[in-house]
Amino acid sequence: MPAKDIYHNTVKAALIKDGWKITHDPFRIRLARGKNLFVDLGAERMLAADRDSEKIVLEVKTFTRAFDMKDLEDALGQFVLYAQLLKRYADDRTLDFWAMTRFRWKWCSLAIAIS
């Protein structure tokens, strides 16, 4: 089992407050016999309009190195990998959310725009 990010419980509480039901903590993607990847949270909420549900997988990121592009590279690679694997192994869920602090999101957006 992977270590939980320092904001894991905060993000989980925010999802619950927003009406989401936590279905997996963590969400496991089974690749092959004995090979697994873990995404931080799986959640679901009912959509009243069509009586269906929305299912998501959420990765929580804390960047530990100050303004280091390596953190951004690692996080983007992880996001792309998880999104592709979910299409193959859990196509009823989407990787719609990527939780990080607002400051880091602005910095990542700036770094991507510059490159």
Side-chain angles (χ1 to χ4, degrees):
M1 296 288 272
K4 291 183 180 178
D5 187 277
I6 61 172
Y7 293 112
H8 182 91
N9 290 330
T10 304
V11 171
K12 184 176 175 179
L15 285 170
I16 293 168
K17 185 177 178 181
D18 195 39
W20 291 90
K21 176 184 172 191
I22 303 300
T23 57
H24 300 83
D25 185 4
F27 184 85
R28 178 171 60 177
I29 302 173
R30 295 178 186 176
L31 301 175
R33 202 171 337 160
K35 302 289 183 192
N36 299 299
L37 285 177
F38 295 92
V39 187
D40 291 326
L41 295 166
E44 179 177 6
R45 73 174 168 186
M46 296 302 295
L47 302 174
D50 57 10
R51 295 185 182 185
D52 201 2
S53 65
E54 180 180 10
K55 296 179 181 180
I56 62 166
V57 176
L58 179 95
E59 180 66 19
V60 181
K61 300 307 299 175
T62 299
F63 294 102
T64 56
R65 297 174 284 222
F67 300 103
D68 189 345
M69 288 301 293
K70 184 67 176 144
D71 278 335
L72 179 59
E73 290 174 17
D74 292 346
L76 285 173
Q78 188 177 24
F79 183 84
V80 170
L81 175 65
Y82 288 171
Q84 292 301 313
L85 290 173
L86 284 170
K87 284 181 187 176
R88 182 170 181 180
Y89 295 105
D91 64 351
D92 63 329
R93 294 189 181 262
T94 57
L95 188 63
D96 284 342
F97 298 91
W98 196 28
M100 67 176 72
T101 64
R102 182 175 295 164
F103 174 77
R104 287 297 180 190
W105 178 249
K106 287 180 182 178
W107 178 80
C108 288
S109 299
L110 177 63
I112 292 169
I114 292 171
S115 60

